[in-house]
């Protein structure tokens, strides 16, 4: 039997030394694993978190090795590259911060005083992904390290961090009323150290096979197979393989079949099963990415509460514990490598090695159905032959290593829909932020309809969409870019309606279930956070929009009144929004029945307010209540105000409707040469400030078409601080003096 010891304690962490000589004698600090050195500075904004080399030192007890046993160190995650030294000798170098790797130390152990040194580095470099992306690149031994002793004849420990067993179930679904589905389960094993035969057990059946050249294959036929059926019934079998040496490995697997239809979307085990879910980054307030099993479990509990049936585990290989939780809970997973935002000429090898490790280490998870090749890789890189070739090689590698899953790519909104990039993966998905970063929400609908009618034979999904919301910010007139919970709700209500009207979207993933650390950000009243989450980064606050999704997806009966954090309200009549999966909702104010509405998911009421009121919503036994208070002044704490912002000057009701304004689209304004001339001058300044945008607009007809549909105000907001608010106001005043051209 193999012996596994977690090396979680008594590590000395050393920062700020030059090399191993200093690192061996430096005082350092005592730490336990999992550990990251960016737990604090990686989450406080300023993009100044420590990126460099740090050292971990451990006094390693020499294990007793007998009969040819071998000793390995096993690292589950060393970000982003690691050099492993034992007793001063460098034994291994690994590039990639999210995958497991092992080091055979058998011959390098000395009788006493074994000193293990690990140099971990998260510096900027030009060959290891990720280097440019919207999340903090934490450094550290942020997952577990183990000492693994295996018998002389043992399951492979030297093949890209795999565990030497590969289980491939092929399901035949029951057809036309036949009793049940069946499955052929092929178990392949790889062994090192002269194993003779292997004994494999699946579903109480045991078979033996000779091991030839370190390889063996055994087949099992499960007649009335118990399917792994997503969130309905995530049934898992266990495959156990044992060598005559006593080394044994056990792996759980699930029998399921899936297909993706360009017109009808995703099918699981023969039935339509639209994938509707969220994305998740692996980090949390105060812990960085050094997550404990309890933290992983809590994240899964929240995924279950919202009722998602799929997760996009962005933008890298996640922890084994989390893929296991997805298997156990029936959550279908999009797994991916961090080939993201910007292509690096010297990075191809790293993309291939990260993909190889991702697939070899995660092949047996029934929850995973696709391998993501890249994310928005054309955001900062032109589509050229090198980029295409890197994707073709990745795509081929996936198909070589795994004949059972699809390859996919998350495309940035600017990628032309007729780009050759889209022809490489088996399926595609777009990240679209119309209604947040630019344009209007409805441009999302238009984009997908245009794509789907142009490419009806292609499977298309919605891999990212979202709007930032700070739970402290509120408004009675929510507007794009105000970071209010109320706008985030309006945004997601639109997107859910859009999705519901397009069942051919094979998967949709909200960006993001949780706020996460993006240390380069400093907006929306938070430092270093992307606040598109439906839940805050500390997991303590579920924003109102969380309950909108729960109303669409969850079977747990509930009722939720929005706006509990919007207490002080200046409006005489205020909107009360209720999310619920119940068919009708009754509203009470100060204990007095006001109104009952029959409806679906979103229930909107309006009530006059004059003092402090207890507002309650009831649906059968389910009840929620909040307090609202009439206020004379806007509570300044509800407002996200950037320095110099002219708050609320933009109030469409005051505009002369027969004249142009910043509320009109660029296409409408273009009809008037006089209005257009004024606008061109200012927008030239706006786009010139964003060379990359200007470049992409110039030679991108799709983007030009898109921009024609954008309101001038939206477009100018993209320019950020380049266009001062007073310039926008002056522009609007000028436009308001120009009568609209009537067709
Ligand atoms: C992109 C990107 C994400 C990023 C998101 C955002 O689509 O893929 O990593 O966080 O946009 O801007 O919020």
């Amino acid at each position: 039997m193999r012996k596994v010891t977690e090396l979680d304690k008594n590590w000395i962490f050393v920062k700020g030394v030059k090399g191993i000589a200093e690192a061996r004698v430096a005082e350092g600090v005592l730490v336990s694993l999992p550990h990251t050195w960016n737990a604090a500075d990686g989450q406080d904004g300023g993009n100044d978190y420590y990126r460099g080399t740090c050292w971990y030192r451990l006094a390693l007890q020499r294990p007793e090795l007998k009969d040819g046993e071998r000793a390995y160190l096993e690292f589950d995650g060393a970000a982003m590259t690691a050099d492993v030294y034992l007793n001063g000798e460098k034994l291994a170098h690994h590039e990639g911060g999210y995958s497991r790797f092992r080091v055979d130390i058998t011959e390098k152990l000395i009788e006493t005083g074994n000193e293990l040194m690990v140099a971990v580095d998260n510096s900027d470099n030009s060959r290891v992904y990720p280097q440019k992306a919207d999340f903090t690149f934490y450094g550290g031994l942020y997952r577990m390290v183990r000492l693994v002793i295996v018998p002389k004849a043992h399951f492979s420990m030297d093949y890209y961090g795999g565990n030497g067993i590969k289980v491939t179930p092929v399901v035949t679904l029951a057809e036309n009323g036949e009793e049940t589905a069946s499955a052929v389960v092929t178990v392949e094993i790889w062994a090192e150290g002269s194993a003779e035969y292997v004994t494999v057990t699946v579903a109480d059946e045991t078979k033996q096979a000779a091991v030839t050249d370190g390889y063996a294959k055994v087949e099992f036929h499960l007649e009335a197979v118990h399917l792994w059926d997503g969130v309905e019934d995530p049934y898992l079998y266990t495959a156990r393989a044992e060598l005559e040496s006593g080394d044994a490995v056990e792996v759980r697997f699930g029998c399921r079949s899936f297909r993706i239809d360009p017109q009808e979307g995703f099918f699981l085990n023969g039935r339509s099963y639209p994938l509707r879910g969220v994305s998740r980054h692996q980090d949390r307030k105060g812990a960085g990415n050094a997550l404990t099993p309890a933290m992983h479990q809590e994240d899964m509990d929240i995924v279950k509460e919202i009722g998602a049936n799929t997760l996009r585990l962005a933008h890298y290989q996640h922890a084994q514990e989390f893929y296991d939780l997805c298997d156990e809970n029936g959550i279908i997973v999009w797994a991916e490598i961090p080939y993201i935002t910007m292509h690096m000429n010297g990075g191809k090898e790293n993309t291939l090695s990260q993909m190889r490790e991702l697939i070899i280490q995660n092949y047996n998870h029934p929850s995973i159905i696709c391998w993501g090749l890249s994310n928005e890789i054309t955001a900062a890189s032109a589509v050229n032959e090198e980029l295409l070739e890197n994707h073709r090689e990745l795509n081929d590698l996936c198909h070589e290593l795994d004949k059972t899953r699809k390859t996919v790519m998350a495309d940035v909104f600017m990628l032309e829909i007729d780009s050759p990039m889209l022809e490489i993966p088996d399926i595609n998905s777009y990240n679209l932020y119309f209604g947040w970063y630019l344009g209007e929400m409805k441009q999302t609908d238009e984009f997908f309809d245009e794509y789907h009618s142009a490419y009806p034979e292609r499977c298309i999904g919605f891999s990212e969409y979202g709007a930032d919301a700070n739970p402290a910010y509120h408004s009675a007139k929510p507007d794009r870019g105000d970071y209010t919970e109320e706008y985030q709700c309006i945004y997601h209500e639109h997107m859910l309606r859009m999705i519901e009207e397009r069942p051919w979207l094979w998967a949709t993933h909200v960006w993001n279930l949780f706020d996460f650390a993006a240390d380069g950000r400093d907006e929306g009243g938070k430092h270093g956070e992307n606040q598109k989450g439906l839940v805050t980064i500390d997991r303590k606050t579920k924003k109102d929009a969380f309950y909108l999704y729960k109303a669409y997806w969850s079977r747990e009966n509930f009722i939720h009144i929005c706006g509990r954090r919007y207490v002080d309200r200046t409006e005489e009549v205020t909107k009360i929004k209720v999310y619920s999966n119940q068919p009708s909702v009754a509203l009470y104010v100060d204990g007095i029945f006001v109104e009952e509405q029959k409806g679906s998911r979103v229930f909107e009421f309006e009530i006059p307010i004059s003092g402090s009121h207890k507002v309650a919503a009831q649906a059968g036994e389910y009840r929620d209540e909040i307090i609202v208070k009439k206020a004379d002044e806007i509570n300044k704490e509800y407002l996200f105000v950037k320095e110099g912002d002219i708050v609320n000057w933009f109030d469409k009701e005051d505009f002369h409707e027969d004249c142009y304004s910043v509320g009109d689209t660029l296409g409408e304004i273009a009809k008037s040469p006089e209005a257009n001339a004024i606008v061109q001058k200012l927008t030239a300044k706006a786009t010139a400030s964003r060379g990359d945008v200007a470049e992409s607009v110039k030679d991108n007809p799709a983007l030009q078409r898109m921009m024609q549909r954008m309101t001038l105000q939206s477009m100018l907001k993209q320019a950020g601080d380049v266009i001062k608010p007073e310039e926008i106001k002056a522009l609007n005043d000028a436009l308001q003096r120009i009568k609209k051209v009537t067709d």
Side-chain angles (χ1 to χ4, degrees), residues 133-135 281 312 315 340 375-376 431 433 437 464 468 511 516 521 530 532:
D134 181 37
F135 62 98
H281 263 301
R312 181 178 168 210
H315 283 300
I340 184 168
N375 178 79
E376 298 201 342
N431 300 348
Y433 285 98
Y437 287 123
E464 281 188 35
D468 288 70
W511 188 261
F516 57 89
R521 283 177 174 254
N530 180 314
K532 291 189 183 65

